[in-house]
Amino acid sequence: MRITRVMSAALLALGLAAGPAAADSSPGPSQEGSAPTEAGTSFRTATEIEQGQQATANGSAGDYLYWSFPADAGQRPTVKATVKLPGTHAAETWRIDVYDGLRRRQACQWGAQTRTAAANAPSVELACVLRTVRAWSEPWANDPLPGTYYIRLTVVDLPTSDLGVRVGAEVRVDSEDMGGAAAVDGRLAEPLVPGAAMNSAADEDESGTSAVLSAIEPEDGWSSGWWSDRWVWTGIGGVLAALAGIAGYALTRGSGRPTRVPPGA
């Protein structure tokens, strides 16, 4: 009974310790007043947004609209965009693309990445669920890695009569923390943040528009894959193995001292 009580107390303590590690660590929504209200027109002028913010922007049909956001190892980002269309328009097709810090286009696991809005439809909604960001990958692979990610929103099929009409856009990024199941044995020396390793000062593009090299990062900094809840579950497994060994020894060692045989028996 004593062994049972000890094991029960140990399991309860381990469960309490593992609880915070298994909790969802995706960032909460930011204050609406701090959300950006404009979008960039290229990778270099992409508007930086935090995960959990709902950014808005106005533009013209036919423009490229760009935003950037940080994603760390173990996160699976979901990008959602809503395009608000004018009251009268022909059928048109919109598309959302996501690129990593090396400007490699990242495939969507699922989601309506391209959608056609019917004539005079008030809006069209797009979504892209990325693959889980890995802490490390082979150089030849196209796996998502920690760093800056770019969102590009544009129309891909538009009648000439609707070219240049005013549209509104809303973009939001949220992430799900995949935990130790997504952990790998390795990490990047630096996250893929363009320009961070060479120069963090402002630069200018060909049009003379000021373009600040990306300096955005997660609220708690870059983890680079050094920690995951896999460490917790590995420790739990070790403790359970030790308790099982103690219990097995107690059950098999016998009832105590050997019985003495009386002299002359």
Side-chain angles (χ1 to χ4, degrees), residues 24 28-29 89 114 117 137-138 157 166 175 178 201 254:
D24 184 8
H89 63 84
T114 303
S137 178
E138 296 287 350
D157 187 9
R166 300 296 292 174
S175 284
M178 304 307 293

Side-chain angles (χ1 to χ4, degrees), residues 38-96:
E38 60 182 14
T41 56
S42 68
F43 285 103
R44 296 181 64 82
T45 59
T47 298
E48 295 178 348
I49 62 174
E50 296 282 356
Q51 293 191 28
Q53 283 184 325
Q54 182 165 301
T56 59
N58 293 319
S60 301
D63 290 345
Y64 286 94
L65 303 179
Y66 287 83
W67 295 265
S68 65
F69 67 93
D72 206 356
Q75 294 182 338
R76 187 174 65 187
T78 298
V79 181
K80 295 182 180 180
T82 301
V83 182
K84 297 182 178 179
L85 305 172
T88 303
H89 63 84
E92 51 192 57
T93 302
W94 287 80
R95 180 181 180 89
I96 189 171

Side-chain angles (χ1 to χ4, degrees), residues 200-220:
S200 60
D203 199 358
E204 291 190 355
D205 59 17
E206 295 178 357
S207 64
T209 303
S210 177
V212 180
L213 297 175
S214 180
I216 197 170
E217 66 177 34
E219 184 177 349
D220 297 329

Side-chain angles (χ1 to χ4, degrees), residues 16-166:
L16 294 175
D24 184 8
S25 62
S26 55
S30 301
Q31 292 183 356
E32 212 52 48
S34 62
T37 56
E38 60 182 14
T41 56
S42 68
F43 285 103
R44 296 181 64 82
T45 59
T47 298
E48 295 178 348
I49 62 174
E50 296 282 356
Q51 293 191 28
Q53 283 184 325
Q54 182 165 301
T56 59
N58 293 319
S60 301
D63 290 345
Y64 286 94
L65 303 179
Y66 287 83
W67 295 265
S68 65
F69 67 93
D72 206 356
Q75 294 182 338
R76 187 174 65 187
T78 298
V79 181
K80 295 182 180 180
T82 301
V83 182
K84 297 182 178 179
L85 305 172
T88 303
H89 63 84
E92 51 192 57
T93 302
W94 287 80
R95 180 181 180 89
I96 189 171
D97 293 296
V98 182
Y99 299 82
D100 65 9
L102 299 178
R103 299 185 186 180
R104 303 176 302 179
R105 182 176 172 275
Q106 292 295 319
C108 301
Q109 281 188 311
W110 59 80
Q113 186 179 5
T114 303
R115 258 189 159 174
T116 299
N120 302 328
S123 63
V124 59
E125 295 183 355
L126 307 167
C128 175
V129 180
L130 296 176
R131 294 172 294 166
T132 303
V133 178
R134 295 166 56 89
W136 179 86
S137 178
E138 296 287 350
W140 46 262
N142 194 38
D143 295 322
L145 294 169
T148 300
Y149 283 76
Y150 295 94
I151 305 169
R152 184 176 73 181
L153 176 65
T154 189
V155 63
V156 294
D157 187 9
L158 179 73
T160 306
S161 59
D162 288 340
L163 186 64
V165 299
R166 300 296 292 174

